């Protein structure tokens, strides 16, 4: 069974704090992704990684960084959290079968509130 | 640029009604994939279907069916005899092939389906 887990379902942080969101997949997938989901805006890609230590910016990378030291783990980092980063964060992974479009499998999400 | 439009923000139906969720896309890729995901109130996106741009056959899976029409750039999703458990937000997504040689997904804004008893 496909399994993507995220470290927290709910998280409350203060403005200016450094925040780490962790994602782990146990399917030996090459690709991993971080999205944020906001009402009326759908899912927007923040960063993705196609290999260990490899990353690529998505549509809204500003204010975020990522780390992928091991194949199964992909971390999203908010260097200095701001209130406009309050959102639902979704992690996904995919196996590379067809680089034109692989199915992504999602974790349960982390609802982050920045006060 | 890639674009996915789900014009219906919210749909309300009564149980056992059929309902169609619309999805229109724009892409410059000649080979691409289309997807539908379901997001129930619990929040986790559940994969429903993946479709190759060269395969225009309609697909049926139980009460779910998908109609892919390349001529109109549409990939619509129909639920037959809807049930309360179908209440969720449904997302249509389109693959985008990047210069790095990998693909990402562009999502529509989603359609919230509310099925009442």
């Amino acid at each position: 069974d496909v399994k993507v887990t995220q470290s927290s379902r709910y998280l409350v942080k203060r403005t200016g704090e450094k925040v780490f969101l962790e994602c782990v997949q146990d399917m030996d997938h090459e690709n991993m992704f971080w999205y944020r989901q906001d009402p009326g805006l759908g899912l927007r890609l923040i960063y993705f990684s196609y290999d260990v230590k490899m990353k690529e910016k998505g549509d809204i990378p500003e204010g975020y960084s990522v780390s992928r030291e091991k194949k199964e783990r992909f971390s999203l980092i908010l260097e200095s959290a701001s209130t406009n980063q309050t959102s639902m964060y979704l992690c996904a992974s995919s196996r590379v079968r067809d680089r034109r479009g692989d199915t992504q499998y999602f974790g349960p999400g982390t609802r982050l509130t920045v006060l | 640029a890639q674009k996915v439009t789900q014009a219906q923000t919210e749909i309300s139906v009564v149980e056992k009604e059929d309902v169609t969720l619309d999805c229109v896309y724009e892409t410059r890729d000649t080979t691409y994939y289309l997807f539908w995901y379901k997001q129930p109130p619990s929040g986790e996106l559940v994969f429903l279907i993946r479709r190759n741009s060269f395969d225009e056959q309609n697909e049926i899976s139980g009460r779910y069916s998908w109609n892919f029409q390349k001529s109109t750039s549409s990939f619509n999703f129909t639920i037959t005899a809807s049930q309360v458990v179908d209440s969720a937000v449904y997302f249509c997504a389109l693959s985008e092939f990047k210069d790095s040689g990998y693909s990402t997904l562009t999502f529509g804004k989603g359609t919230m389906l509310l099925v009442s008893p």
Side-chain angles (χ1 to χ4, degrees), chain B residues 21 32-33 36 50 52-53 56 65 67 81 83 93 104 107 113-114:
Chain B
L21 310 181
Y32 52 90
Y33 287 85
W36 276 94
R50 171 179 180 256
N52 184 301
S53 56
E56 290 194 66
S65 62
N67 180 274
Q83 300 175 2
T104 61
F107 284 82
L113 174 65
L114 182 60

Side-chain angles (χ1 to χ4, degrees), chain A:
Chain A
D1 244 10
V2 171
K3 189 81 173 172
V4 179
T5 56
Q6 295 183 230
S7 49
S8 308
R9 288 303 302 268
Y10 300 93
L11 207 54
V12 179
K13 295 291 181 182
R14 298 253 174 227
T15 302
E17 276 192 75
K18 189 169 186 175
V19 181
F20 292 86
L21 301 183
E22 305 286 343
C23 176
V24 176
Q25 51 93 6
D26 65 358
M27 299 158 290
D28 201 36
H29 283 177
E30 295 86 355
N31 295 344
M32 296 187 75
F33 307 82
W34 274 108
Y35 296 87
R36 66 176 281 176
Q37 182 180 8
D38 300 289
L41 296 178
L43 277 76
R44 293 179 293 167
L45 182 65
I46 304 172
Y47 267 98
F48 71 100
S49 168
Y50 47 87
D51 203 349
V52 175
K53 296 188 188 294
M54 304 302 286
K55 63 187 179 186
E56 191 165 319
K57 291 179 181 179
D59 300 316
I60 52 164
E62 297 78 20
Y64 303 95
S65 62
V66 290
S67 172
R68 193 166 180 203
E69 297 296 319
K70 293 185 178 181
K71 189 176 185 180
E72 67 271 18
R73 188 180 297 269
F74 192 35
S75 303
L76 180 69
I77 304 157
L78 288 66
E79 294 290 341
S80 178
S82 64
T83 54
N84 63 12
Q85 292 178 310
T86 292
S87 186
M88 170 72 98
Y89 289 87
L90 293 163
C91 175
S93 70
S94 68
R95 180 181 301 283
V96 177
R97 289 193 194 282
D98 182 340
R99 293 187 177 191
R100 291 280 174 182
D102 296 303
T103 299
Q104 294 182 20
Y105 296 93
F106 284 81
T110 295
R111 189 167 292 282
L112 173 67
T113 301
V114 182
L115 302 174

Side-chain angles (χ1 to χ4, degrees), chain B residues 45-89:
Chain B
L45 264 79
V46 177
F47 164 71
L48 295 177
I49 190 171
R50 171 179 180 256
R51 205 74 179 154
N52 184 301
S53 56
F54 292 108
D55 183 0
E56 290 194 66
Q57 272 194 322
N58 290 336
E59 179 147 346
I60 298 174
S61 176
R63 295 184 297 108
Y64 294 172
S65 62
W66 290 270
N67 180 274
F68 176 32
Q69 292 200 348
K70 208 167 179 178
S71 60
T72 56
S73 297
S74 65
F75 186 44
N76 296 337
F77 173 31
T78 297
I79 302 174
T80 302
S82 59
Q83 300 175 2
V84 173
V85 293
D86 295 327
S87 296
V89 180

